[in-house]
Amino acid sequence: MPRALLLSIRFHDGRYHGAPEWPPSPARLFQALIAGAAQGEKLSPQYRAALAWLEQLAPPVIAAPAKRSGSGYKNYVPNNDLDAVGGDPRRIAEIRAPKLIRPLLFDAEAPLIYAWSFDAGEEHARTILVIAERLYQLGRGVDMAWAFGEVIEEAARDARLRAHGGLLYRPSKGGEGKPLLCPQPGSLDSIERRFAKTGKRFSAIKTGRQVQQLFSRAPKPRFASVAYDSP
């Protein structure tokens, strides 16, 4: 019998700094689940199997509260171009760049709900419920959040989503709807590769007596762009 996995996310302050993206994409949630589940650099075999199962599922339906834009401000931070001032850290003030910070505001009492349907693998769904309890943020680092999950009959899923009272976002197989990144087969592997490469972005190359630092970008994680609410 078809079942549904529901994850409900609540934000501590009713603010989200990942704007302009709304609702937070399933890919963001997937990465937040991995961050909460990991113990140091490792995922337990049980957690890894459950997350690998989750990335195989069709994109979830999302229920989200109505939002509005909050007041913004500019924060001036150094950009990554110290060479432009001769590599002198005392001249960082000369290469500051403005960064606009403008959160989205919503009712903190109304959760975000992500609902997946599945036919098999309930043991993995139950493990995802455990992982969800370890979630601590969603979006930017300042977006503190927590989650809880449920496994229910699929027939009860739509009733739960309608009772939410917010906006429903339904995935489409194509079209020109709102694009949101979603996990796909291989997403977990790509995130693990990115994590491993991020710690080795700088390497030293010695030529004679000179030593140069070589910077290499970590590969981006692999996600699928899914159109939500396509007309």
Side-chain angles (χ1 to χ4, degrees), residues 63-132:
K67 51 81 179 174
R68 62 183 177 86
S69 295
S71 299
Y73 64 93
K74 290 181 179 179
N75 191 12
Y76 286 83
V77 298
N79 63 26
N80 296 323
D81 193 19
L82 195 60
D83 289 341
V85 291
D88 187 352
R90 294 171 297 180
R91 298 177 61 189
I92 282 180
E94 300 176 29
I95 56 171
R96 291 186 306 161
K99 180 179 180 181
L100 179 63
I101 299 176
R102 189 177 187 183
L104 297 176
L105 308 179
F106 52 92
D107 182 4
E109 296 297 320
L112 278 159
I113 298 179
Y114 296 78
W116 289 265
S117 296
F118 64 92
D119 294 314
E122 183 160 341
E123 70 279 7
H124 295 310
R126 297 289 177 185
T127 300
I128 295 295
L129 303 188
V130 177
I131 292 175

